[in-house]
Amino acid sequence: MVQELLEDRYRFSFNIQVLNDLFVISSACESNVFEGTQLIKLFSNSLPHTIIFNTCGVTHLYTEITKKYLKRLKEVYPNYTIYITGCGSSYYPEIYKEFGIVIKDEEKFNPASYGLKDVNPTFINCYLPKIRIQNGCSHQCTYCITRLVKGKSTSYNYDFIYESISRIIQNGWDTVVLSGINLTEYYSDGMYLTDLCIKILKDFITLVNSES
């Protein structure tokens, strides 16, 4: 039903995840989808009858589409609490206040932002696992506000990435998605993105072979 509120041409612009009557709707960049999965794991047992909308502000068109979507959500789900977060709502909070409660991007994972003292996270193994290896952007594109909300590009070190992938493999997965705001800017431990991918393949092919 939530997906049907969108015009056909915009349906692939948003990712929708649902668990225990919590809807998490994310503008469909891989970074937002990654965050959406973390949000639904964290809050699905604590926020019934709730919609969390993780916005993007990369273009004015996205903002207009999001506003129309939020307006329809309010009409169709009048008894649901709507929280609006992400790049778009953080940079344009006044635009989104009429549709729900605006939460700053950096506060989206804080239970207190939703009026909660504590949460009971859910382990779910039904979404393709993603790990964030990069955040922010150092380019100066005039049409995009992501750099103003997320800050300059930062890259996660290899130890963190290795440990994250190891946990995913231990949970039975053989596939992982590397996500970020601008992966072309990845650089850490003397490695660019191509170097990182080669090292991951070498290390984990060796690990899998040694355990089999």
Side-chain angles (χ1 to χ4, degrees):
M1 180 62 179
V2 172
Q3 188 77 11
E4 292 171 358
L5 299 181
L6 284 167
E7 298 177 40
D8 287 343
R9 56 180 171 160
Y10 297 137
R11 288 191 179 182
F12 294 104
S13 298
F14 297 93
N15 173 270
I16 300 168
Q17 301 181 44
V18 186
L19 190 64
N20 295 346
D21 210 25
L22 169 65
F23 294 82
V24 177
I25 304 171
S26 302
S27 300
C29 72
E30 281 298 333
S31 182
N32 267 10
V33 174
F34 167 82
E35 291 179 348
T37 302
Q38 304 312 305
L39 286 167
I40 206 160
K41 287 180 180 180
L42 186 60
F43 294 119
S44 61
N45 289 324
S46 306
L47 293 173
H49 293 88
T50 299
I51 297 169
I52 300 176
F53 204 116
N54 195 22
T55 64
C56 176
V58 68
T59 64
H60 178 69
L61 177 60
Y62 240 129
T63 300
E64 291 303 310
I65 297 170
T66 301
K67 285 166 57 181
K68 290 180 181 179
Y69 197 2
L70 283 165
K71 182 179 179 181
R72 290 288 292 130
L73 286 170
K74 281 194 69 174
E75 293 171 351
V76 176
Y77 295 93
N79 297 322
Y80 277 62
T81 302
I82 299 177
Y83 294 97
I84 308 165
T85 186
C87 294
S89 62
S90 293
Y91 197 69
Y92 302 116
E94 297 300 323
I95 290 178
Y96 291 102
K97 281 183 177 178
E98 66 176 289
F99 304 110
I101 301 168
V102 176
I103 297 174
K104 290 183 178 180
D105 188 63
E106 62 270 22
E107 294 294 328
K108 70 175 67 169
F109 295 108
N110 182 358
S113 299
Y114 305 87
L116 301 172
K117 291 183 178 180
D118 201 5
V119 293
N120 178 25
T122 301
F123 174 77
I124 50 176
N125 207 23
C126 54
Y127 300 111
L128 192 64
K130 299 178 175 66
I131 60 169
R132 175 174 286 169
I133 65 168
Q134 182 273 342
N135 201 7
C137 185
S138 298
H139 293 306
Q140 302 292 318
C141 303
T142 56
Y143 64 85
C144 180
I145 66 166
T146 302
R147 61 190 172 85
L148 303 176
V149 178
K150 297 289 189 181
K152 292 184 177 180
S153 177
T154 57
S155 299
Y156 293 21
N157 63 45
Y158 187 71
D159 287 344
F160 168 81
I161 296 169
Y162 183 91
E163 290 173 6
S164 299
I165 297 176
S166 296
R167 286 195 297 270
I168 289 170
I169 289 175
Q170 289 167 10
N171 286 326
W173 289 94
D174 60 5
T175 303
V176 62
V177 177
L178 306 179
S179 69
I181 297 296
N182 186 352
L183 288 177
T184 61
E185 290 193 281
Y186 180 87
Y187 183 78
S188 181
D189 302 316
M191 293 185 291
Y192 293 100
L193 181 61
T194 303
D195 306 315
L196 173 68
C197 292
I198 291 171
K199 183 166 179 58
I200 288 172
L201 289 171
K202 286 182 177 178
D203 286 354
F204 284 96
I205 287 174
T206 302
L207 177 65
V208 171
N209 286 341
S210 67
E211 292 181 348
S212 60

Short mmCIF file of all heavy atoms in Angstrom, two decimals, residues 181-205:
data_model
loop_
_atom_site.label_atom_id
_atom_site.label_comp_id
_atom_site.label_asym_id
_atom_site.label_seq_id
_atom_site.Cartn_x
_atom_site.Cartn_y
_atom_site.Cartn_z
N ILE A 181 28.56 7.43 0.53
CA ILE A 181 27.99 8.59 -0.15
C ILE A 181 28.65 8.79 -1.51
O ILE A 181 28.00 9.03 -2.52
CB ILE A 181 28.16 9.86 0.71
CG1 ILE A 181 27.39 9.73 2.02
CG2 ILE A 181 27.70 11.09 -0.06
CD1 ILE A 181 25.90 9.63 1.87
N ASN A 182 29.98 8.71 -1.55
CA ASN A 182 30.73 8.85 -2.81
C ASN A 182 31.91 7.89 -2.76
O ASN A 182 33.01 8.25 -2.32
CB ASN A 182 31.21 10.29 -2.99
CG ASN A 182 31.85 10.51 -4.35
OD1 ASN A 182 32.06 9.57 -5.11
ND2 ASN A 182 32.17 11.75 -4.67
N LEU A 183 31.67 6.67 -3.19
CA LEU A 183 32.69 5.62 -3.07
C LEU A 183 33.94 5.91 -3.88
O LEU A 183 35.01 5.38 -3.58
CB LEU A 183 32.10 4.27 -3.49
CG LEU A 183 31.09 3.65 -2.51
CD1 LEU A 183 30.54 2.35 -3.10
CD2 LEU A 183 31.73 3.38 -1.17
N THR A 184 33.81 6.76 -4.89
CA THR A 184 35.00 7.08 -5.69
C THR A 184 36.04 7.83 -4.88
O THR A 184 37.21 7.89 -5.26
CB THR A 184 34.63 7.92 -6.93
OG1 THR A 184 34.06 9.17 -6.50
CG2 THR A 184 33.64 7.19 -7.81
N GLU A 185 35.63 8.38 -3.74
CA GLU A 185 36.57 9.12 -2.89
C GLU A 185 37.20 8.24 -1.81
O GLU A 185 37.95 8.73 -0.96
CB GLU A 185 35.87 10.30 -2.22
CG GLU A 185 35.51 11.42 -3.17
CD GLU A 185 35.11 12.69 -2.43
OE1 GLU A 185 33.96 12.76 -1.94
OE2 GLU A 185 35.96 13.60 -2.34
N TYR A 186 36.88 6.94 -1.83
CA TYR A 186 37.43 6.09 -0.78
C TYR A 186 38.96 6.10 -0.83
O TYR A 186 39.58 5.88 -1.88
CB TYR A 186 36.94 4.63 -0.91
CG TYR A 186 37.53 3.77 0.19
CD1 TYR A 186 36.88 3.68 1.42
CD2 TYR A 186 38.74 3.12 0.02
CE1 TYR A 186 37.43 2.94 2.45
CE2 TYR A 186 39.31 2.37 1.05
CZ TYR A 186 38.65 2.30 2.26
OH TYR A 186 39.21 1.58 3.30
N TYR A 187 39.58 6.33 0.34
CA TYR A 187 41.04 6.22 0.46
C TYR A 187 41.39 6.06 1.94
O TYR A 187 41.10 6.93 2.76
CB TYR A 187 41.77 7.45 -0.09
CG TYR A 187 43.27 7.30 -0.02
CD1 TYR A 187 43.95 6.52 -0.96
CD2 TYR A 187 44.00 7.91 1.00
CE1 TYR A 187 45.32 6.35 -0.89
CE2 TYR A 187 45.38 7.75 1.07
CZ TYR A 187 46.03 6.97 0.13
OH TYR A 187 47.40 6.79 0.20
N SER A 188 41.95 4.91 2.27
CA SER A 188 42.37 4.65 3.65
C SER A 188 43.45 3.59 3.64
O SER A 188 43.44 2.69 2.80
CB SER A 188 41.18 4.17 4.49
OG SER A 188 41.56 3.92 5.83
N ASP A 189 44.36 3.67 4.58
CA ASP A 189 45.45 2.69 4.71
C ASP A 189 46.24 2.55 3.40
O ASP A 189 46.71 1.46 3.06
CB ASP A 189 44.91 1.31 5.11
CG ASP A 189 44.13 1.35 6.42
OD1 ASP A 189 44.61 2.00 7.37
OD2 ASP A 189 43.05 0.76 6.49
N GLY A 190 46.35 3.66 2.66
CA GLY A 190 47.09 3.62 1.41
C GLY A 190 46.35 2.95 0.27
O GLY A 190 46.94 2.66 -0.78
N MET A 191 45.04 2.70 0.45
CA MET A 191 44.26 1.99 -0.56
C MET A 191 43.13 2.85 -1.11
O MET A 191 42.41 3.50 -0.34
CB MET A 191 43.65 0.70 0.02
CG MET A 191 44.66 -0.35 0.38
SD MET A 191 43.85 -1.91 0.94
CE MET A 191 43.16 -1.36 2.51
N TYR A 192 42.99 2.83 -2.45
CA TYR A 192 41.79 3.38 -3.09
C TYR A 192 40.75 2.26 -3.18
O TYR A 192 41.00 1.14 -2.74
CB TYR A 192 42.14 3.91 -4.48
CG TYR A 192 43.05 5.13 -4.44
CD1 TYR A 192 44.42 4.99 -4.67
CD2 TYR A 192 42.54 6.40 -4.17
CE1 TYR A 192 45.27 6.10 -4.63
CE2 TYR A 192 43.37 7.51 -4.13
CZ TYR A 192 44.74 7.36 -4.36
OH TYR A 192 45.56 8.45 -4.30
N LEU A 193 39.58 2.58 -3.73
CA LEU A 193 38.49 1.61 -3.75
C LEU A 193 38.87 0.31 -4.47
O LEU A 193 38.57 -0.78 -3.99
CB LEU A 193 37.25 2.24 -4.42
CG LEU A 193 36.01 1.35 -4.48
CD1 LEU A 193 35.54 0.95 -3.09
CD2 LEU A 193 34.88 2.06 -5.24
N THR A 194 39.53 0.43 -5.62
CA THR A 194 39.94 -0.76 -6.37
C THR A 194 40.89 -1.62 -5.53
O THR A 194 40.75 -2.85 -5.46
CB THR A 194 40.62 -0.37 -7.69
OG1 THR A 194 39.73 0.44 -8.46
CG2 THR A 194 40.99 -1.61 -8.50
N ASP A 195 41.86 -0.97 -4.87
CA ASP A 195 42.79 -1.71 -4.02
C ASP A 195 42.06 -2.41 -2.88
O ASP A 195 42.37 -3.55 -2.53
CB ASP A 195 43.83 -0.74 -3.42
CG ASP A 195 44.55 0.07 -4.49
OD1 ASP A 195 44.95 -0.51 -5.51
OD2 ASP A 195 44.69 1.30 -4.30
N LEU A 196 41.08 -1.71 -2.30
CA LEU A 196 40.30 -2.28 -1.21
C LEU A 196 39.57 -3.54 -1.66
O LEU A 196 39.59 -4.57 -0.98
CB LEU A 196 39.30 -1.25 -0.68
CG LEU A 196 38.30 -1.78 0.36
CD1 LEU A 196 39.00 -2.13 1.66
CD2 LEU A 196 37.20 -0.73 0.61
N CYS A 197 38.90 -3.46 -2.81
CA CYS A 197 38.15 -4.61 -3.32
C CYS A 197 39.07 -5.80 -3.58
O CYS A 197 38.71 -6.95 -3.27
CB CYS A 197 37.39 -4.22 -4.59
SG CYS A 197 36.05 -3.05 -4.30
N ILE A 198 40.23 -5.55 -4.14
CA ILE A 198 41.19 -6.63 -4.41
C ILE A 198 41.63 -7.27 -3.10
O ILE A 198 41.70 -8.51 -2.98
CB ILE A 198 42.41 -6.09 -5.19
CG1 ILE A 198 41.97 -5.70 -6.62
CG2 ILE A 198 43.53 -7.12 -5.24
CD1 ILE A 198 43.04 -4.97 -7.40
N LYS A 199 41.92 -6.45 -2.09
CA LYS A 199 42.37 -6.98 -0.80
C LYS A 199 41.26 -7.79 -0.13
O LYS A 199 41.52 -8.86 0.45
CB LYS A 199 42.83 -5.85 0.12
CG LYS A 199 43.39 -6.34 1.45
CD LYS A 199 44.15 -5.27 2.19
CE LYS A 199 44.67 -5.79 3.54
NZ LYS A 199 45.55 -6.97 3.38
N ILE A 200 40.01 -7.29 -0.20
CA ILE A 200 38.88 -8.03 0.38
C ILE A 200 38.76 -9.40 -0.28
O ILE A 200 38.63 -10.43 0.40
CB ILE A 200 37.58 -7.24 0.22
CG1 ILE A 200 37.56 -6.03 1.16
CG2 ILE A 200 36.36 -8.13 0.49
CD1 ILE A 200 36.40 -5.08 0.92
N LEU A 201 38.81 -9.43 -1.60
CA LEU A 201 38.69 -10.70 -2.32
C LEU A 201 39.81 -11.66 -1.94
O LEU A 201 39.57 -12.85 -1.67
CB LEU A 201 38.69 -10.46 -3.82
CG LEU A 201 37.43 -9.80 -4.39
CD1 LEU A 201 37.64 -9.42 -5.85
CD2 LEU A 201 36.22 -10.72 -4.25
N LYS A 202 41.05 -11.17 -1.89
CA LYS A 202 42.18 -12.03 -1.54
C LYS A 202 42.04 -12.57 -0.12
O LYS A 202 42.19 -13.76 0.13
CB LYS A 202 43.49 -11.26 -1.69
CG LYS A 202 43.92 -11.03 -3.12
CD LYS A 202 45.25 -10.30 -3.18
CE LYS A 202 45.72 -10.14 -4.62
NZ LYS A 202 47.02 -9.39 -4.70
N ASP A 203 41.74 -11.68 0.83
CA ASP A 203 41.68 -12.08 2.23
C ASP A 203 40.53 -13.05 2.50
O ASP A 203 40.70 -14.02 3.24
CB ASP A 203 41.52 -10.85 3.13
CG ASP A 203 42.82 -10.06 3.24
OD1 ASP A 203 43.84 -10.53 2.71
OD2 ASP A 203 42.81 -8.96 3.83
N PHE A 204 39.38 -12.80 1.89
CA PHE A 204 38.23 -13.62 2.23
C PHE A 204 38.13 -14.89 1.41
O PHE A 204 37.55 -15.88 1.85
CB PHE A 204 36.94 -12.79 2.17
CG PHE A 204 36.81 -11.90 3.37
CD1 PHE A 204 37.22 -10.58 3.32
CD2 PHE A 204 36.34 -12.42 4.56
CE1 PHE A 204 37.15 -9.78 4.44
CE2 PHE A 204 36.26 -11.61 5.69
CZ PHE A 204 36.66 -10.28 5.64
N ILE A 205 38.72 -14.92 0.23
CA ILE A 205 38.83 -16.19 -0.49
C ILE A 205 39.76 -17.12 0.30
O ILE A 205 39.48 -18.30 0.48
CB ILE A 205 39.37 -15.96 -1.92
CG1 ILE A 205 38.28 -15.33 -2.79
CG2 ILE A 205 39.84 -17.29 -2.54
CD1 ILE A 205 38.75 -14.93 -4.17
#
